[in-house]
Amino acid sequence: MSEREVDVIIFGATGFTGKNTVLKAVDLLKDFKWGIAGRSQEKLEKVLAEVGKKCETDLSKTPIFIAKLDDDESLKAMASKCKVLINCVGPYRLYGEPVVKACIEAGTHQVDVTGEPQWMERMALEYNEKAKEKGSFIVSACGFDSVPADMGVVYLERHFEGTVNSVEQYFQPITKGAKGPTVHYGTWASLVHGVTHWSELAPLRKKLYPTKLPKFEPVLKDRGILHKSDLVNKWCLPFLGADKSVIYRSQRYFYETEKKRPVQIKSYVTMPSMLGAFAMMAFGILIGLLTRFSFGRYLLLTYPGFFSFGTVSKEDLAEEDINKCHFVMHFKGQGWTEKLAEGIDEYTTKPDKDIYVRVKAENIGYGATCVALVLCAKMLMTEKPKLPKESGVFTPAAVFAKTTLIEQLSKNGWTFEVVGAKEETKE
């Protein structure tokens, strides 16, 4: 990559996620030259003043770049001025593709926080070869979607000391004491668009992966729509976020490039009670029905506060509220203590080992997410020997599994920990 004006540019810095990313960049990118970008010089200067006052740092000399989503030349000019572009402009289905194209054309790396499987998989299908040719790493899902899940599986495998067959993942959201909205409109809009276009995934995946993975035994079975988990002692539903899609792509990448046995994954979300689970199921049905019709989608996008029971706002969220939104990600891994002997393709015995891992952090969407996003960008600059030999369109684990991303996250408010392990006694 040729010499660039700055190391990192945060695009969309005037948005809610963008501003929080700028705040994290002040500390995490203090040894790098970074700038911000967007449509309005005045608004960008205001962001620098606000963030600078908050962290007691003079940011007035931070480089500012003007770029507009409807101006391809301005996007390419912006991308050509940095090594890594942090893209905070979503929903990515609507606004992400021009930025990806500009970064690839400029030979620039890009990270984003999308949780939209359809968009991520279409980018992989359409742009992977071009990104590989240009030397660009395009890494999506670098926030809450799906760093804790994707890197959580990596962490589990690191500590398993054997071969992992399957992982059950349980997302436990914790919101205590928040008095106002805790989800910004951009996150809500991504959800609405994602549900609307869910049917696109199956044909996309057939094109992206025309050859199915071999079937590995024993097959990890679904636990049904509603079940009580002994691992978390809560009622649980299938988690319909991006995690399962992202982890599958990472595991498939490891299988294709390293011949590593892929980990099977099932994802669930915990509910505070059975009543809460039924309420969430009813909410899911309502959203599913409304997104089938243009007028329904209009209502969801126009009145997010009403349909989210007050949890979503188009305005900036109160810091005291979002700081009360935490998460714990629980993982139960099963597999074998002993690795397969050379020349043997599959196990003939049942799994004999379990491991329990937790990943947790505070401020799910706008604290932990922005830390992960900035650190992912940093990894692309500082740990090149640990990245894949070939660039392309990737998931976080596919790119960062061999880096110190987990260690860096652990130094910045995240926790990765093994909380238990069990091996069957052999007679």
Side-chain angles (χ1 to χ4, degrees):
M1 187 178 293
S2 59
E3 192 64 30
R4 303 293 175 102
E5 192 171 326
V6 295
D7 296 308
V8 178
I9 290 177
I10 301 168
F11 180 50
T14 59
F16 189 70
T17 300
K19 283 189 282 189
N20 280 278
T21 302
V22 173
L23 179 63
K24 299 302 181 183
V26 173
D27 178 50
L28 297 177
L29 296 180
K30 61 186 177 183
D31 296 326
F32 299 87
K33 188 172 184 181
W34 58 275
I36 63 175
R39 294 177 296 176
S40 167
Q41 178 85 19
E42 182 181 353
K43 290 181 179 180
L44 291 166
E45 290 175 351
K46 185 178 178 181
V47 166
L48 291 176
E50 289 177 359
V51 174
K53 182 178 180 181
K54 188 172 184 177
C55 61
E56 299 181 345
T57 303
D58 181 11
L59 300 178
S60 60
K61 292 182 173 58
T62 302
I64 290 176
F65 304 91
I66 303 301
K68 301 178 181 180
L69 287 166
D70 58 358
D71 184 346
D72 291 344
E73 289 304 314
S74 73
L75 292 175
K76 187 173 179 181
M78 170 186 65
S80 66
K81 290 181 171 62
C82 63
K83 298 174 183 176
V84 183
L85 184 76
I86 297 177
N87 183 13
C88 298
V89 182
Y92 293 85
R93 179 185 183 86
L94 302 181
Y95 310 120
E97 187 171 0
V99 181
V100 168
K101 289 175 65 176
C103 286
I104 292 174
E105 289 177 14
T108 298
H109 309 317
Q110 189 236 232
V111 294
D112 62 56
V113 291
T114 184
E116 303 161 58
Q118 302 97 320
W119 183 79
M120 287 188 275
E121 295 186 24
R122 186 169 67 82
M123 293 301 100
L125 178 65
E126 297 184 10
Y127 293 100
N128 184 64
E129 291 305 315
K130 188 68 173 178
K132 190 184 298 185
E133 176 188 326
K134 291 287 189 176
S136 296
F137 282 98
I138 307 297
V139 193
S140 289
C142 291
F144 170 72
D145 292 305
S146 288
V147 167
D150 209 19
M151 297 304 293
V153 173
V154 169
Y155 180 83
L156 185 150
E157 287 198 89
R158 283 184 186 177
H159 291 81
F160 192 80
E161 296 181 358
T163 300
V164 180
N165 175 65
S166 62
V167 171
E168 291 178 300
Q169 166 211 356
Y170 290 87
F171 162 48
Q172 181 183 0
I174 303 173
T175 304
K176 292 183 178 179
K179 297 179 180 179
T182 55
V183 178
H184 195 260
Y185 177 75
T187 303
W188 174 260
S190 293
L191 169 67
V192 172
H193 288 293
V195 175
T196 300
H197 301 282
W198 190 261
S199 61
E200 295 176 3
L201 271 174
L204 255 177
R205 286 172 178 167
K206 286 183 180 180
K207 294 179 181 177
L208 184 59
Y209 300 120
T211 304
K212 290 185 178 181
L213 283 174
K215 186 176 181 179
F216 293 94
E217 299 285 352
V219 173
L220 178 61
K221 297 179 180 179
D222 284 309
R223 291 189 177 270
I225 295 177
L226 178 64
H227 75 278
K228 183 76 175 286
S229 168
D230 293 334
L231 180 64
V232 293
N233 194 31
K234 291 183 180 296
W235 289 97
C236 304
L237 299 170
F239 184 39
L240 301 180
D243 290 352
K244 186 176 176 181
S245 164
V246 170
I247 293 169
Y248 173 82
R249 287 178 57 209
S250 295
Q251 293 298 318
R252 176 147 191 155
Y253 173 78
F254 297 140
Y255 174 77
E256 292 176 344
T257 59
E258 303 173 9
K259 301 303 177 186
K260 187 189 81 64
R261 191 181 203 275
V263 173
Q264 301 174 63
I265 182 75
K266 297 293 182 184
S267 298
Y268 304 97
V269 58
T270 70
M271 293 288 112
S273 65
M274 183 182 286
L275 181 62
F278 282 118
M280 179 60 71
M281 290 165 67
F283 174 73
I285 292 171
L286 175 64
I287 298 298
L289 289 173
L290 288 174
T291 53
R292 294 180 64 182
F293 308 98
S294 59
F295 184 64
R297 295 191 291 273
Y298 167 80
L299 291 175
L300 289 170
L301 294 171
T302 306
Y303 305 103
F306 175 79
F307 287 100
S308 67
F309 306 100
T311 60
V312 177
S313 175
K314 291 185 176 182
E315 305 300 324
D316 283 359
L317 306 174
E319 187 172 346
E320 58 267 28
D321 287 329
I322 61 175
N323 282 337
K324 293 174 181 176
C325 298
H326 314 323
F327 76 85
V328 181
M329 202 78 80
H330 306 264
F331 301 86
K332 178 183 178 181
Q334 286 192 318
W336 296 270
T337 305
E338 296 181 0
K339 293 182 178 292
L340 285 173
E342 188 175 347
I344 299 177
D345 295 328
E346 192 52 84
Y347 286 91
T348 57
T349 58
K350 294 180 179 180
D352 59 8
K353 182 176 181 179
D354 295 347
I355 189 171
Y356 306 91
V357 163
R358 271 199 308 245
V359 178
K360 55 186 177 180
E362 298 182 355
N363 189 345
I364 297 174
Y366 313 102
T369 279
C370 297
V371 167
L373 180 62
V374 174
L375 287 176
C376 285
K378 189 174 178 180
M379 292 295 101
L380 292 172
M381 296 183 293
T382 60
E383 302 201 8
K384 294 179 183 178
K386 298 177 182 179
L387 304 179
K389 292 181 179 179
E390 287 191 312
S391 53
V393 180
F394 289 112
T395 56
V399 178
F400 304 122
K402 294 179 174 62
T403 70
T404 63
L405 177 59
I406 290 174
E407 289 75 13
Q408 294 301 314
L409 288 167
S410 299
K411 292 178 181 178
N412 289 280
W414 287 55
T415 299
F416 289 77
E417 58 185 348
V418 177
V419 294
K422 182 176 68 176
E423 294 182 23
E424 289 188 6
T425 303
K426 295 182 180 179
E427 296 182 357

